[in-house]
Amino acid sequence: YEYDRIRNEIAHLLSCWAVTSLSVKGRLPFEPGFFDIVVFDESSQCDIASALPLLYRAKTAVVIGDPQQLSHITDGLQRGGDEQLLIKYNLLTKYPHWAYSYNSLFDLAAGLSSQNSIVNLVDHHRSHADIIEFSNKEFYQGRLRVATKYDNLRLVGSKEPGVRWINVQGRSQKPSTRYLHL
């Protein structure tokens, strides 16, 4: 592949890369400090082990997430299996946050950060107050401020059901395996 041949020569020209933690393997050099900064969004859904190769490549990391959102899924590791390994190698007392079957990348970062380096966002822009208010009361202790611009919401008519089927004409085509690995 041409990209693999010239990647190291052009990497300095690309100021921003967008990759998943799983797609970085083989695409970007496995060099310490290759990136100035790596940004993890939705980090409560990131497992620690998958983030390590990106953290290794970065000089600095920003971890963004919400502990009230869905957590990551540890594929192939029984809950507590990593804790048993930490115990076996006498690491549990020094590194309890690294038990990734229990902790997400967000949990790890929050546990390693000072309280004054954590920024809590309170403005909610995505949905109508009638929708977010349940979560605001149940999970955020009423701290969210609804800042949704209602003019930007696409509303259904009062006679239309809120959930409905829309049949989209067309055909689907499965991509070749060559494109699945990009």
Side-chain angles (χ1 to χ4, degrees), residues 22-41:
L22 299 178
S23 68
V24 71
K25 180 183 174 190
R27 300 287 176 235
L28 301 173
F30 191 63
E31 298 172 14
F34 181 75
F35 299 116
D36 291 326
I37 188 169
V38 64
V39 178
F40 291 93
D41 193 15

Side-chain angles (χ1 to χ4, degrees), residues 58-127:
K59 296 174 187 168
T60 308
V62 173
V63 180
I64 303 167
D66 184 345
Q68 300 301 331
Q69 300 292 324
L70 293 173
S71 186
H72 68 291
I73 298 171
T74 54
D75 191 26
L77 179 68
Q78 295 266 335
R79 189 163 182 91
D82 52 350
E83 189 176 46
Q84 294 303 314
L85 290 170
L86 289 169
I87 291 169
K88 179 180 178 179
Y89 293 101
N90 199 27
L91 297 170
L92 185 62
T93 54
K94 286 180 92 174
Y95 303 102
H97 289 93
W98 290 84
Y100 82 93
S101 67
Y102 294 98
N103 296 317
S104 66
L105 179 62
F106 179 89
D107 298 323
L108 175 66
L112 296 174
S113 299
S114 64
Q115 200 58 32
N116 63 352
S117 67
I118 297 174
V119 176
N120 291 308
L121 302 180
V122 295
D123 290 338
H124 177 84
H125 296 272
R126 292 186 176 176
S127 59

Side-chain angles (χ1 to χ4, degrees), residues 91-181:
L91 297 170
L92 185 62
T93 54
K94 286 180 92 174
Y95 303 102
H97 289 93
W98 290 84
Y100 82 93
S101 67
Y102 294 98
N103 296 317
S104 66
L105 179 62
F106 179 89
D107 298 323
L108 175 66
L112 296 174
S113 299
S114 64
Q115 200 58 32
N116 63 352
S117 67
I118 297 174
V119 176
N120 291 308
L121 302 180
V122 295
D123 290 338
H124 177 84
H125 296 272
R126 292 186 176 176
S127 59
H128 195 280
D130 292 345
I131 297 171
I132 193 59
E133 202 52 45
F134 170 80
S135 295
N136 193 15
K137 287 179 186 172
E138 292 296 317
F139 302 110
Y140 298 99
Q141 293 74 47
R143 291 189 306 260
L144 293 181
R145 293 184 307 211
V146 178
T148 305
K149 293 181 181 174
Y150 292 112
D151 294 342
N152 294 343
L153 293 179
R154 194 172 133 199
L155 304 174
V156 296
S158 61
K159 304 248 187 231
E160 297 178 66
V163 177
R164 61 188 177 271
W165 177 264
I166 299 174
N167 190 30
V168 177
Q169 297 295 321
R171 63 183 186 97
S172 64
Q173 182 176 346
K174 186 176 181 179
S176 70
T177 56
R178 178 173 179 238
Y179 295 108
L180 292 177
H181 300 290

